[in-house]
Amino acid sequence: MNVEWGAFDAAAESWLCALTAFEVARRLVGADDPQTRDVLVKLGAGISNFGSLEQRVRRVEITSWDGRKLPAYYVSAGEPDLCSPAVICISREDETGAMLLGRLLPVIASRGMAALVVGYDDVSNGWHRQSDILSSCLDYLSAQQEVDASRIGIYGEGLSAALATDSALADRRIAAAVCDGGLWNWARTQASISWMTETSHLPDDHLASAHRARLARRLKCPILVVAGGRSIVSVPEGIKLESDCTAARIDLKLLVPRTASLTIGEFENFAACDEDIFAWMEHKLAHASAS
């Protein structure tokens, strides 16, 4: 029996390593490379094989208050007798939910954490309000027997980081958020002022700091902002936001992904970044339970 379980664990580990390898390959070949389709097919097969192996991944549909359906992937925590934390994960605008799931499964699988993975296009298209969709996702997770409804976080990258901010503002059930801290809406507001006044609007540093901190203070949960790389938040703006929030005693942390220089350009160490993100999420959701 122990040999069988050892083989089972080895198979699961192999599939998770394969998913990470496919993600590396996908990033190296580029979106226009003819090999990209083959990589995506193999990525989908890897997800299916891991899901069937551990019975932990399944396709689901989230039903909104008006009966609309949102396709999603549910990843079980694997601990049916425990009340586990959970995270809603939203892909960036140029990726599907399946792509994000393939990248995050190796990070989530060993953490005793449930996850609901959705695609940016599915959330942002065809619905009345994105916050209503994500509230429906919260409803779905809260109804799962293995999930602790008081320990649900949200994670968005790319433009989905702004969606995560809006969701955390609209629904106080979110206990931790990996988001943009309101910087996307702040930038759009500044651009609108410049356009309407036909000037280059440069706000006073003190007023800008107060406004950034005020936006972040509206988020009543701990915040992690990822800046640089493929994020919509620049490193200088992220540093300013973290500084403003530290002065205002707001629980906000900045994370800048590590990169490596290759002949094809800079390559973001996404695996290390994802580990840092979910280690932070795991810590904050544990703290939410203790609170």
Side-chain angles (χ1 to χ4, degrees), residues 137-282:
C137 291
L138 277 161
D139 293 340
Y140 178 87
L141 285 175
S142 298
Q144 303 305 306
Q145 188 172 2
E146 67 173 345
V147 172
D148 182 347
S150 69
R151 294 195 290 157
I152 299 177
I154 191 166
Y155 162 61
E157 59 176 30
L159 290 178
S160 293
L163 293 183
T165 297
D166 292 342
S167 181
L169 288 171
D171 200 316
R172 298 303 187 195
R173 290 178 292 173
I174 291 177
V178 181
C179 61
D180 76 334
L183 287 179
W184 181 250
N185 286 333
W186 158 251
R188 288 195 301 180
T189 299
Q190 296 308 304
S192 296
I193 292 173
S194 297
W195 180 77
M196 288 187 293
T197 60
E198 296 183 348
T199 61
S200 178
H201 183 73
L202 296 174
D204 176 85
D205 282 346
H206 178 72
L207 292 177
S209 294
H211 185 73
R212 281 191 296 262
R214 185 163 61 251
L215 286 173
R217 190 178 286 109
R218 292 174 58 205
L219 292 159
K220 301 302 182 183
C221 64
I223 311 158
L224 178 68
V225 174
V226 181
R230 302 201 300 165
S231 171
I232 60 173
V233 178
S234 70
V235 173
E237 192 66 18
I239 291 172
K240 290 177 186 175
L241 178 64
E242 184 181 44
S243 176
D244 296 339
C245 289
T246 298
R249 297 184 178 180
I250 297 170
D251 188 355
L252 182 145
K253 181 179 178 180
L254 180 68
L255 175 63
V256 180
R258 285 164 276 180
T259 59
S261 296
L262 302 176
T263 54
I264 59 173
E266 283 196 335
F267 187 82
E268 183 181 293
N269 189 338
F270 67 88
C273 183
D274 290 340
E275 281 289 342
D276 290 342
I277 288 171
F278 279 87
W280 176 89
M281 183 69 78
E282 188 176 32

Side-chain angles (χ1 to χ4, degrees), residues 52-67:
S52 61
L53 186 68
E54 288 213 326
Q55 300 297 312
R56 287 185 58 187
V57 181
R58 65 177 187 266
R59 289 294 302 268
V60 299
E61 285 188 331
I62 310 301
T63 304
S64 70
W65 58 270
D66 61 354

